[in-house]
Amino acid sequence: MTAVTPARPSTAVQPAPVGALPPGRPAGGSRLWTAAGFAFGAALLFAVAPLVLSDFRLALLAKYLCVAMVAVGIGIAWGRGGMLTLGQGVFFGLGGYAMAMHLKLADAGPGGMPDFMQLYGQLDELPLWWRPFASPWFALPATVLLPMAVAFGLGSLVFRRRVRGAYFAILSQALAAAMVILLIGQQGTTGGTNGLTDIEGFFGYDLDDPVNQRMVYFIIAATLLALLALTRQLIHSRYGELLVAVRDGEERVRFLGYDPASVKLVAYVVAAGMAGLAGALFVPAVGIISPALIGIVPSIEFVIGVAVGGRATLLGPVLGAVAVAWARTALSERFPGTWTYLQGLLFVVVVAFLPGGLASLWALARRPEAGAPPPRRGWSPLGGRRAERTEVPAP
């Protein structure tokens, strides 16, 4: 008799159930958790922080939240798109200078000139390129559209030539250095090294009034929550999935008929717009914008905050940016001579022991038991949803 070989367990691809959500799309329970998270964050920012913190500490928190806005954009470009942007200070500065120019002209009054132009005595009348910023209808959109336009022009040239990796990072960093040199060299029109300082009003409100300072803080907090909501919708959309596909396999996406340059360009432009908006809100919160706040060092600090928090998550960049900024302030107050070394040690420890950043602590706490690997999901740009694969171990 012929021996019968026992059948092996099937490892065929099991089709996804009808009506199943694509990978990365939030289910109903996830939406509830997200809504609860936003409500909790809003309660902390709008209720707890103003009650617990002094006016000085609340102003510092407003500054940290502006940095967190830049980090959200870096999380999209670097965490989801794989583009290490070391020049976000340029877009932060463009938005900040656009807002500061309008506020300085508003402080000077109709037909007046900013005080630093009169102090240096190099100009007899307001420069032509300053005059449109006297109108809030021009200045406010410029804080976002101007950085996005610069990012679009640069990204179109760079991504079409398939510049990526370390070359793109170095190029973006060189842009930040060039921006600083340009601002310092035009002392009569940009304030030079000092920048634009002594900003007293914000659309008719006196920034020296603590009540108005709290108003600025609430505007910044609300803007940050709105950017987080927008970012969440973006990363869970079809475009967000395509952006991750470009990051993980750019050539494969190109062979499927998509243009990776256009996909990366959108992420880069969105990140620039967020940085410009953050710079615009930074000006009334701090009262100054200068080349020292937008150069190479601040640009690298933006990236460090994202790396510490976790670049591939939604809240990781925010947590990392706020944590690094708070650590810098706290350590400089207690250890004025060695705080830079302690800050560097904090970065090294987080990167060495938590490669996923601070946001990975939650994932580690919810890690499944050993020996029971979760099912792997895949995604294809053509169909949007691929079959769920479940590995059945051999007997």
Side-chain angles (χ1 to χ4, degrees), residues 190-212:
T190 64
T193 306
N194 296 327
L196 304 181
T197 62
D198 299 330
I199 296 175
E200 301 174 354
F202 181 66
F203 296 98
Y205 294 94
D206 185 9
L207 290 178
D208 291 333
D209 190 347
V211 176
N212 296 332

Side-chain angles (χ1 to χ4, degrees), residues 121-149:
Q122 298 180 3
L123 299 173
D124 296 331
E125 60 180 4
L126 192 68
L128 291 177
W129 60 277
W130 264 76
R131 295 177 184 179
F133 290 93
S135 172
W137 299 106
F138 178 87
L140 289 181
T143 60
V144 178
L145 296 181
L146 182 59
M148 295 179 72

Side-chain angles (χ1 to χ4, degrees), residues 244-262:
V244 174
V246 171
R247 179 197 66 187
D248 297 337
E250 183 173 336
E251 296 301 326
R252 296 180 182 179
V253 174
R254 181 178 288 108
F255 292 153
L256 290 173
Y258 290 86
D259 184 12
S262 299

